[in-house]
Amino acid sequence: MTHSNGTAKPGPGKPGRPSSAPKPGNRPKPGEAHPTPAAMKTSGHATEHPHPVVVPSATDPSAWGRVDEDGTAWVKTADGERVIGSWQAGDAAEGLAHFGRRFDDLATEVALLEARLAAGTDARKTKAAALALAETLPTAAVIGDIEGLAVRLRAIAEHSDEAAAHAKEEKERTRHEHTERKEALAAEAEQIAAESTQWKAAGDRLREILDEWKTIRGVDRKVDDALWRRYSKAREAFNRRRGAHFAELDRERAAAKARKEELCVQAEELSESTDWAGTAAVFRELLVEWKNAGRAPREADEALWRRFKSAQDVFFAARNAAASERDAEFADNAIAKEELLSSYEPAIDPDADLEGARAALRDLQERWDAIGKVPRERMHDLEGRLRAIEKRVRQAADAQWRRTDPEALARAAQFRERVAQFEEQAAKATAAGKTRDAEKALAQAQQWREWADAAEGAVSNL
């Protein structure tokens, strides 16, 4: 059974290598042991990356078949040898190696399926591929441990159902976790939309939620759509509320700008005033109004403040200049009043000449008032010295008045008259032998005498 081109040909009724087998040129290098069926079981979650393919070692085809001298190729099976084709392209050893390589290709396909199952990659398709490949083994034109491959393929099919269940469970768990995460993100967005007034931070957080949202996959379509509507509605509500806030803020700032412009006009009108105390009080009131007016737009607010402060500075600079001029005048007045006091203090002696002292004091007071104000810190000392002179003159005048007070002299005379009356009563009582009445009258006379002495002494001592 020789091909005209000298290649191997399958035997009658025996199909060649299945089309699903990989090309020999793409076959991984042999030399690694294939995994056991137990290693293919998936007891946990599937990893994100496929497991590496474990390629079986190249087999020794002579242990599993032969090629006769006439090119007939045989393979050993559990049911005995069967013809798989013929080899006419070389000697028997080359033919044996050829059919051995074709077996290795099949073994590599099985290893790929084992790796797919271990990685949790679509167990349903893996099972279908394993069953399809197992159906080709009885007629496969290969030399090798075909029964071993059949065992491995049965193991793949058996464990595919378990792997599919695990994959489904993992998918459901992931879907549940991702759904919970999106629900939490939607709830957070709703809370931000309803409560937050930290506009920039809240806006940044909503964008971060959107970025995270895009990375979460595998949520049920209807649930995902409902959650997206919640997030989208919350974001729109936040944007409306933030827009309303800034619109109101713009209105407030426009009103603040208008009010501050009015205050600037008032300040400029007052800047030339010379009513220092009254205008300073008005400026203080304007400043309170300025603070209560709120903030205008930044550039306008800064320009208006410079305008207001400039008008204020003009007034207070003029007031300070006037105050400096006034302070110099007051200092000269203090010197003049000090000299005035120095000249009048020794000249005013009310004890020696009360009328002359009074006249000198009136002259001093007139000249004092004509000089004018003095610095505040000198006022107490200078006024104190003037008050001391005025007190001396006043006390001397009071003493003179008391000495010549007709009422005081009349009271002293009345007291003496009462003394005489009681002494006369005592004399009559003695003459009548009324000793007790005489003693009583004498005691009363003594009492009135003491009062008379005191009244006369008060007048004489002034």
Side-chain angles (χ1 to χ4, degrees):
M1 295 166 43
T2 306
H3 248 296
S4 60
N5 58 4
T7 58
K9 177 182 177 183
K14 303 296 191 292
R17 182 170 53 88
S19 60
S20 60
K23 295 179 181 179
N26 295 331
R27 182 181 57 183
K29 294 180 180 179
E32 301 179 12
H34 64 76
T36 64
M40 294 189 295
K41 293 182 180 180
T42 55
S43 58
H45 304 311
T47 57
E48 294 183 357
H49 302 289
H51 289 198
V53 178
V54 181
V55 181
S57 302
T59 59
D60 179 5
S62 62
W64 302 100
R66 58 191 174 84
V67 176
D68 293 342
E69 292 299 327
D70 62 359
T72 303
W74 302 79
V75 63
K76 296 178 183 178
T77 69
D79 298 328
E81 289 187 322
R82 67 176 174 85
V83 176
I84 59 171
S86 66
W87 174 258
Q88 302 299 325
D91 59 22
E94 291 174 340
L96 186 64
H98 167 76
F99 289 108
R101 284 193 297 272
R102 297 186 67 175
F103 173 84
D104 290 341
D105 291 342
L106 278 180
T108 298
E109 288 191 58
V110 174
L112 286 170
L113 293 176
E114 290 170 336
R116 286 177 59 186
L117 181 62
T121 303
D122 199 343
R124 183 180 60 82
K125 290 184 178 179
T126 301
K127 179 180 179 180
L131 293 176
L133 189 59
E135 290 179 358
T136 67
L137 293 182
T139 58
V142 298
I143 297 178
D145 185 7
I146 294 177
E147 290 300 321
L149 291 184
V151 171
R152 289 168 64 187
L153 288 170
R154 285 195 298 271
I156 291 173
E158 291 172 0
H159 292 295
S160 291
D161 293 337
E162 181 182 350
H166 278 296
K168 182 178 180 181
E169 179 183 347
E170 175 66 16
K171 185 177 181 180
E172 288 300 321
R173 185 188 67 80
T174 302
R175 178 184 288 111
H176 179 70
E177 290 178 353
H178 289 183
T179 300
E180 286 188 337
R181 182 56 190 150
K182 283 198 172 182
E183 286 177 345
L185 291 174
E188 183 183 356
E190 289 168 340
Q191 183 177 9
I192 290 173
E195 301 175 4
S196 180
T197 55
Q198 302 294 322
W199 307 112
K200 184 179 186 308
D204 291 343
R205 179 54 189 154
L206 285 174
R207 285 189 290 274
E208 291 171 359
I209 289 176
L210 179 59
D211 291 339
E212 183 177 352
W213 189 286
K214 294 176 180 178
T215 66
I216 301 173
R217 308 287 185 183
V219 179
D220 180 77
R221 183 63 174 270
K222 291 183 178 179
V223 174
D224 198 38
D225 289 345
L227 290 173
W228 171 253
R229 286 192 295 272
R230 284 177 59 187
Y231 167 79
S232 182
K233 182 178 178 181
R235 184 175 60 177
E236 290 173 1
F238 171 80
N239 290 335
R240 285 195 302 272
R241 194 161 61 87
R242 180 174 59 179
H245 167 78
F246 283 106
E248 178 62 23
L249 189 61
D250 288 342
R251 286 191 292 271
E252 291 175 357
R253 287 179 174 173
K257 179 182 177 183
R259 180 56 186 146
K260 287 185 173 182
E261 287 174 343
E262 294 174 358
L263 293 174
C264 285
V265 172
Q266 295 180 49
E268 288 165 347
E269 291 174 351
L270 291 170
S271 63
E272 301 299 329
S273 173
T274 56
D275 177 12
W276 310 121
T279 305
V282 174
F283 265 113
R284 286 192 292 271
E285 293 173 0
L286 292 181
L287 186 58
V288 171
E289 290 189 44
W290 184 280
K291 293 178 180 178
N292 292 336
R295 290 188 61 85
R298 179 185 294 276
E299 293 183 3
D301 202 57
E302 293 175 354
L304 287 170
W305 171 248
R306 288 193 296 270
R307 181 180 166 188
F308 178 84
K309 191 164 187 311
S310 176
Q312 183 179 251
D313 290 345
V314 168
F315 167 77
F316 283 105
R319 190 189 70 162
N320 292 340
S324 297
E325 183 178 348
R326 181 200 60 195
D327 290 344
E329 178 184 347
F330 284 5
D332 292 340
N333 291 347
I335 294 173
K337 285 189 174 184
E338 189 170 14
E339 292 174 351
L340 192 63
L341 288 170
S342 298
S343 63
Y344 274 87
E345 281 173 335
I348 298 177
D349 186 2
D351 294 332
D353 181 5
L354 180 57
E355 290 305 320
R358 283 176 169 174
L361 178 59
R362 284 193 297 271
D363 184 55
L364 169 60
Q365 290 171 332
E366 291 175 359
R367 296 178 64 183
W368 182 276
D369 292 339
I371 291 174
K373 295 181 179 180
V374 299
R376 185 183 300 274
E377 65 273 11
R378 296 296 313 278
M379 189 180 299
H380 178 74
D381 174 51
L382 295 172
E383 291 289 339
R385 290 172 63 182
L386 177 63
R387 299 289 89 83
I389 296 174
E390 292 173 342
K391 183 178 179 180
R392 290 207 319 270
V393 174
R394 184 175 61 254
Q395 287 176 343
D398 290 345
Q400 183 184 46
W401 181 83
R402 284 193 296 271
R403 284 195 300 271
T404 59
D405 184 4
E407 292 182 3
L409 294 175
R411 282 196 299 272
Q414 288 175 357
F415 292 164
R416 290 297 178 189
E417 186 178 343
R418 294 289 288 170
V419 170
Q421 290 175 357
F422 283 116
E423 285 179 346
E424 183 178 353
Q425 290 177 11
K428 289 180 181 180
T430 299
K434 298 178 180 180
T435 307
R436 180 174 296 180
D437 290 343
E439 291 176 354
K440 183 179 179 180
L442 287 173
Q444 290 177 332
Q446 180 61 33
Q447 180 64 60
W448 281 98
R449 184 180 295 107
E450 291 176 0
W451 287 344
D453 291 342
E456 291 172 352
V459 174
S460 62
N461 290 331
L462 295 176

